[in-house]
Amino acid sequence: SGLTNSLMSTLRKQESTGPGLKRIACAQVESAIRCLTRQAGQGVAAAKAIDQARAVLALIEPDLPRLTVRRERAILSRLNDGLVILTQPTLLVEQLDRRYKKRPSDAALATAVKALRKRWASHTPSGSALSSKAGNFNPAIYRLVADMAELRGHLDSWPVDEVPSDLPPLGLRRSYTKARKLANEPITAETLGPLSEAITELASQLAVISKACPVMVKAQRKLLSRAADELNSLQQSRALDKALRAELGKDASKALPTGKSIDTQAAACLGNDLADALAETPAAFMRRMQAYWTAWHNSAD
């Protein structure tokens, strides 16, 4: 299904850009709805699909009416908040298991790890089902699915026929500029989240237009995806630290010594990936993308 999904979520050569982007956004929202209604425990997959729909909206945003964009952004923001609550326990348990494969030697820390694992594990996949076997209904999931259905309804009214097809989507430059600006600033507790989101969004957008020049676009996307994964992991690691400190209370300073600054941690896990992926100026990046785009649309096959 990964391959089908990638085919569904890339622009095809023979389709106009506007309708193509609309098709991809619709497919992603429908995929998110299926994740939450058909099988329990698919919250993380639903969140990824919604992230991809948001990335497509950012690509086409400059061509849509401002009111449409504002309406869609408001729904996506609500969905994001709800999906974070739904998926956070799963992600934190994964982080906990990665960090503490063995029981910690510090007794207070071992107790805290056990308590958090038990608390988060109670949010099992069955807790993220629309309705349980006993017939109980999950209102949080219902609200998310209702918002997704509303968003899917709105997508049909996107006026996309006038979106130009002879150049890459206009939102691409905006996303690249934003990612590059954030990447060039020191990483702090306040900027880590926005940077991670901006990089993830840009990587998703390059996936959407990857057929224009698979070799070159894929290489850049790989660097961005790797950087996004590292930044997401760093965010989860910090969330885990926060939860452990709260659980440990006065024992926190002994069991969990203060680590390095976020900027230092980020620099260590990112290496040169982000700097290499965002080395060009926005103007140079768009010139290169335009060259791929034109060659792709003019090639015979």
Side-chain angles (χ1 to χ4, degrees), residues 182-210:
L182 285 166
N184 285 333
E185 291 169 5
I187 298 175
T188 64
E190 287 69 40
T191 63
L192 177 61
L195 173 63
S196 177
E197 275 167 37
I199 302 300
T200 304
E201 184 163 284
L202 183 58
S204 296
Q205 291 176 345
L206 288 182
V208 168
I209 64 162
S210 60

Side-chain angles (χ1 to χ4, degrees), residues 10 20 40-41 50 53 73 86 92 94 105 115 123 126 129 203 206 227 270 285 290 296:
T10 48
I50 290 299
R73 287 255 170 221
L86 186 70
L92 285 171
E94 283 173 13
S105 52
H123 294 268
S126 61
L206 288 182
L270 288 171
F285 168 73
Q290 180 67 63
W296 178 48

Side-chain angles (χ1 to χ4, degrees), residues 12 88 98 118 153 180 215:
R12 299 165 188 155
Q88 191 71 340
R98 262 203 301 273
K118 189 175 176 186
R180 194 166 185 262
V215 181

